[in-house]
């Protein structure tokens, strides 16, 4: 019931050639993007809890990036700060030098608390930062993002859930009910960790229910983001953003043919 493991792996993402709009002059220039290289180290433990009451997995990992490929973009502005209509926005892929990610991942699944009640949880601590990244910022000035956190890499995230499964409801029917709480820590959406492109920590509550009336008919209901939190899945600090899903409800019925 116990497995201890370790692994080392390496891989790459191919490089390519592109036409890059120079962020300082606005000229289109040929540019070579080097391959992105990654070496990953991981050690961990997978275990079965006593009396088969659940599973506990713990792992620690370290990712070492070289020449990480990142997307760069911005706008050309006039001296007064307004948009320069004669120059289109620039977007290209750049090599970010070095980055490293390390963290700890914890998973507790199917922990049997009572005959019909189980608990699951997953939590992750993540430290993801650039070791070296010299490029140009949104204002077209040379910058070095060394020490900044990688975009979309919150320091802490967690998911927990309680499930009542196969609860008898009368002579034939049975029900399954689940409530979840998902947490995501403060998240930066760009390389310079701009406060305007930052999502504060959020917590989302979801619930679901399924009632099997017999061997063929079942009713389902789901509620997501029950507290109706307002958040972004992605936000670039400009006019482009993906809003997170607001409170939604879903009901349904299923029938099994035999």
């Amino acid at each position: 019931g116990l497995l201890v493991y370790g692994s080392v792996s390496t891989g790459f993402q191919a490089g390519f050639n592109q036409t890059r709009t120079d962020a300082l002059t606005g000229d289109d220039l040929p540019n070579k993007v080097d391959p992105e290289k990654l070496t990953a180290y991981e050690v961990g433990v997978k275990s079965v809890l006593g009396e088969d009451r659940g599973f506990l997995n713990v792992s620690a990992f370290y990712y070492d990036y070289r020449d990480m490929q990142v997307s760069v973009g911005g706008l050309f502005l006039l001296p007064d700060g307004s948009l320069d209509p004669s120059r289109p926005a620039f977007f290209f892929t750049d090599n970010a030098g070095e980055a490293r990610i390390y963290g700890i991942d914890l998973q507790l699944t199917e922990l049997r608390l009572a005959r019909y009640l189980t608990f699951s949880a997953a939590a992750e601590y993540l430290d993801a930062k650039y070791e070296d990244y010299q490029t140009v910022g949104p204002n077209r000035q040379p910058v070095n993002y060394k020490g900044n956190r990688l975009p979309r890499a919150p320091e802490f995230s967690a998911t927990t859930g309680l499930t009542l499964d196969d609860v008898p409801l009368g002579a034939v029917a049975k029900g399954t009910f689940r409530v979840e709480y998902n947490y995501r820590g403060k998240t930066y959406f760009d390389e310079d960790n701009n406060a305007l492109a930052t999502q504060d920590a959020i917590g989302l509550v979801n619930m679901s229910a399924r009632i099997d009336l017999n061997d063929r008919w079942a009713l389902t209901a789901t509620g997501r983001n029950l507290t109706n939190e307002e958040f972004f899945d992605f936000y670039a600090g400009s006019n482009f953003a993906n809003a997170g899903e607001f409170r939604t409800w879903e009901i349904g019925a299923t029938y099994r043919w035999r």
Side-chain angles (χ1 to χ4, degrees):
L2 180 66
L3 170 68
V4 179
Y5 68 93
S7 67
V8 179
S9 58
T10 186
F12 73 96
Q13 181 166 276
F16 55 91
N17 294 313
Q18 66 178 352
T19 298
R20 167 175 171 167
T21 301
D22 187 271
L24 298 177
T25 65
D27 298 329
D28 289 332
L29 303 174
N31 182 66
K32 177 184 177 182
V33 179
D34 294 328
E36 175 185 279
K37 304 179 183 68
L38 169 63
T39 303
Y41 308 85
E42 183 175 353
V43 294
V45 175
K46 297 180 182 291
S47 63
V48 181
L49 300 179
E51 301 178 356
D52 292 335
R53 294 181 59 234
F55 304 91
L56 177 62
N57 303 328
V58 182
S59 64
F61 52 89
Y62 183 92
Y63 295 162
D64 184 15
Y65 281 94
R66 294 287 186 271
D67 294 321
M68 174 183 277
Q69 294 178 7
V70 296
S71 297
V72 178
L75 303 171
F76 289 98
L77 303 179
L78 297 173
D80 62 0
S82 60
L83 181 65
D84 187 344
S86 65
R87 292 181 172 183
F90 63 90
F91 297 97
F92 57 87
T93 299
D94 200 4
N95 289 113
E98 302 176 9
R100 58 108 178 99
I101 302 173
Y102 66 84
I104 298 175
D105 191 24
L106 172 67
Q107 295 180 342
L108 177 64
T109 58
E110 299 180 25
L111 177 63
R112 181 64 59 179
L113 302 178
R115 181 178 179 182
Y116 301 112
L117 182 64
T118 60
F119 173 74
S120 298
E124 183 178 69
Y125 168 77
L126 191 66
D127 191 300
K129 294 182 179 179
Y130 291 109
E131 294 282 275
D132 182 38
Y133 181 11
Q134 299 183 46
T135 183
V136 291
N139 60 358
R140 293 178 286 136
Q141 297 300 315
V143 294
N144 191 340
Y145 292 139
K146 179 180 180 180
N148 285 13
R149 290 191 65 86
L150 269 65
R152 297 176 294 284
E155 186 175 29
F156 184 76
S157 58
T159 299
T160 60
L162 276 172
T163 304
L164 283 168
D165 52 358
D166 293 333
V167 179
L169 301 174
V172 180
K174 58 183 180 180
T176 298
F177 310 93
R178 180 174 174 82
V179 59
E180 297 177 345
Y181 178 75
N182 301 324
Y183 174 84
R184 185 177 71 189
K186 185 177 182 179
T187 304
Y188 298 103
F189 291 122
D190 63 3
E191 292 80 5
D192 66 356
N193 294 175
N194 188 336
L196 295 178
T198 300
Q199 173 68 58
D200 290 334
I202 58 171
L204 304 178
V205 179
N206 305 319
M207 295 184 68
S208 62
R210 177 187 177 93
I211 298 177
D212 290 281
L213 301 176
N214 50 44
D215 291 339
R216 296 198 174 190
W217 282 101
L219 302 176
T220 61
T222 302
R224 302 182 182 89
N225 189 9
L226 297 183
T227 56
N228 206 27
E229 297 291 329
E230 297 180 352
F231 65 99
F232 289 108
D233 280 330
F234 176 80
Y235 180 51
S238 58
N239 293 328
F240 179 76
N242 289 336
E245 188 178 64
F246 48 85
R247 180 167 52 214
T248 58
W249 300 93
E250 178 182 310
I251 58 174
T254 63
Y255 178 80
R256 301 185 186 93
W257 280 268
R258 291 176 182 261

